[in-house]
Amino acid sequence: MGVDAEGSIKALEVDAAGETVGIGQNAVQPVIDSILKAGTTKGFKASSIKFDIDIDTVSGATYTINGIVDAVNDALSKND
C-alpha cells in the first residue's frame, strides 16, 4: 500500500488468490478502484462501488469487501 504525505491512499495491492472464483475475486478490483479514487476508507460504503457483475454476486462478496477495508484500515493504523 502506498500513502502520500497527506495520508491519501495512492496504491493498493490485494492478493485475491484465496477468494471464491466468480464472487470474491470479482469484487477485489472494484473495491481497490473505489478506495484509490477516494484516497481513503473513511466513510467507505460498499453500496457506492460500481460493479460490472450482477447484484447476487455482489451480495455474496460482502466478506471480501469488508475484509479488504478492514485490512487497509489496519495497515493505515500501523503507519500512524
Side-chain angles (χ1 to χ4, degrees):
M1 181 170 63
V3 180
D4 68 13
E6 289 81 37
S8 182
I9 301 167
K10 296 297 181 188
L12 184 59
E13 186 176 320
V14 175
D15 179 1
E19 295 298 329
T20 306
V21 175
I23 300 175
Q25 286 184 352
N26 288 359
V28 172
Q29 194 59 53
V31 173
I32 291 171
D33 293 345
S34 293
I35 291 172
L36 292 177
K37 183 177 179 181
T40 184
T41 58
K42 291 181 181 161
F44 184 85
K45 294 186 184 342
S47 61
S48 65
I49 300 172
K50 293 180 79 175
F51 290 96
D52 293 329
I53 52 180
D54 65 61
I55 194 66
D56 291 332
T57 302
V58 173
S59 63
T62 302
Y63 290 116
T64 300
I65 295 166
N66 292 338
I68 293 170
V69 172
D70 290 346
V72 170
N73 288 335
D74 183 56
L76 288 171
S77 73
K78 293 176 181 174
N79 276 343
D80 289 342

